[in-house]
Amino acid sequence: MPEGLEAEIWRSAAEPLVGRRIDRVEFDARVADPRLVDFEGEWIQGIRRHGKVLIVDTSGSAIGLRFGMTGRLVIDGAAAIDRLEYASGADRPDWDRIRVWTSPVPGPAAVAMRMNDPRRLGRIEVDPDLSLLGPDVLGISIDELDEALGGRRTGLKAALMNQQVVAGLGNLCVDEVLFAAGLAPNAAVASLSADDVRGLHRAMRDRLGVMLRRGGSTQGVLDPARRSRLGRCPARGCQGYLRSEKIGGRTTVWCNTHQVGGGAGGTRSPASRGVVPNASARVAD
DNA sequence: CGGCATGTTTCGCC
DNA sequence: AGGCGAAACATGCC
């Protein structure tokens, strides 16, 4: 599940922890910093997020949670997101990578916060280094986006997946944003016009906003079912077909009819193909 | 059984 | 030098 949207959902869910005292910490040393034992007795002072990283600020130092592919957060016994697309629906105790008990004890749920991660690609860090992360995708301005992309010689999808460029986009959200913006994943960043960047920014803001309200990265037009089924392109007015191929090392679902720009096709802009540049307003879902 | 998976990092090859 | 693809990590699921 975890892209920036999921981390944001968990950030909200974790807010009730603020003001509590950490009584006990248990963790899996294979994926967690051993210094986490030192947090017993500290107070939780705030919950933040940058990109895909959730940060718990305490009276000591900060705890950073990275969820990998299959990690999820459970607060006071409730999972804010219960369906994990590429992880088991199960919630086995031996998949817990950190457990935090607090006081006051919140009702019948003994564990106040835990990360459950079957595949164990997630990490729990002390004082996470956020210095290499680009601006957060949920608050980025057009100028920041333009600046972040400036000088990049990679394909557009590869650039957006790079957390040093923009922090928080994962495979599903990048495909969704590019689909909505009408931009090809293999478009050369250098070929983007100012209008393309504006459309990209708008697609990020609008599409991700909708998906966040609906529950995360799986709630877009290119949801997991459509990603496997493919078929006709669901963009309004588009006569193309969805395709799935490896781009930037990841499975990429897109439509080469209305998503254009850069790449082998040259530097055509979406508008030049007779398609409204900002497809985010045109997607019927 | 083979292949694939919402992520990150490393390594070798242009 | 910098970009890219493949592999590794680790495990579950279809």
Side-chain angles (χ1 to χ4, degrees):
Chain A
M1 291 227 117
E3 297 190 25
L5 294 185
E6 281 69 32
E8 174 59 20
I9 290 169
W10 288 324
R11 185 200 59 73
S12 317
E15 280 181 336
L17 299 177
V18 175
R20 294 190 201 168
R21 177 188 185 274
I22 296 175
D23 293 334
R24 190 153 74 94
V25 179
E26 262 181 23
F27 55 87
D28 182 338
R30 292 173 297 184
V31 297
D33 189 314
R35 290 173 293 171
L36 284 164
V37 294
D38 301 334
F39 284 79
E40 295 183 350
E42 303 290 356
W43 294 77
I44 296 174
Q45 297 182 325
I47 309 288
R48 293 180 282 145
R49 178 195 60 81
H50 191 97
K52 303 173 185 176
V53 186
L54 188 70
I55 303 120
V56 179
D57 289 309
T58 78
S59 46
S61 43
I63 301 171
L65 293 90
R66 301 179 193 262
F67 297 94
M69 293 274 273
T70 55
R72 64 170 168 175
L73 198 66
V74 180
I75 301 292
D76 293 341
I81 304 169
D82 34 46
R83 202 174 82 96
L84 284 82
E85 196 61 36
Y86 293 122
S88 162
D91 181 8
R92 285 168 32 184
D94 57 311
W95 291 342
D96 279 349
R97 304 307 169 197
I98 185 172
R99 295 186 182 126
V100 176
W101 285 262
T102 65
S103 52
V105 174
V111 180
M113 180 184 86
R114 64 189 174 89
M115 188 174 97
N116 187 264
D117 178 18
R119 209 167 138 184
R120 218 199 301 152
L121 292 175
R123 294 290 181 272
I124 303 117
E125 303 165 341
V126 172
D127 282 330
D129 179 12
L130 309 177
S131 65
L132 295 180
L133 295 178
D136 185 81
V137 67
L138 293 181
I140 194 170
S141 68
I142 291 186
D143 287 346
E144 286 172 327
L145 179 59
D146 199 49
E147 167 74 21
L149 291 173
R152 296 275 157 187
R153 287 156 208 259
T154 64
L156 182 53
K157 174 163 179 168
L160 294 175
M161 289 284 288
N162 182 345
Q163 301 299 297
Q164 297 187 40
V165 176
V166 177
L169 287 172
N171 200 38
L172 266 47
C173 285
V174 164
D175 283 2
E176 183 80 14
V177 164
L178 292 176
F179 180 90
L183 292 168
N186 55 5
V189 170
S191 75
L192 296 183
S193 68
D195 271 351
D196 290 339
V197 176
R198 273 191 286 273
L200 184 60
H201 179 264
R202 180 174 170 177
M204 280 183 186
R205 195 208 322 134
D206 295 353
R207 275 277 96 203
L208 297 182
V210 167
M211 293 163 79
L212 179 60
R213 286 191 292 277
R214 288 184 183 170
S217 341
T218 61
Q219 305 303 306
V221 176
L222 304 180
D223 61 27
R226 177 118 51 194
R227 290 179 72 87
S228 58
R229 189 188 331 117
L230 301 179
R232 283 287 305 277
C233 174
R236 197 187 316 158
C238 181
Q239 299 302 306
Y241 289 81
L242 291 179
R243 56 180 52 216
S244 178
E245 56 193 307
K246 291 271 186 229
I247 296 178
R250 305 297 300 276
T251 297
T252 301
V253 172
W254 67 296
C255 165
N256 70 343
T257 298
H258 87 275
Q259 290 180 248
V260 297
T267 57
R268 298 160 305 178
S269 73
S272 73
R273 290 287 295 265
V275 174
V276 178
N278 198 327
S280 61
R282 310 173 53 254
V283 172
D285 63 341

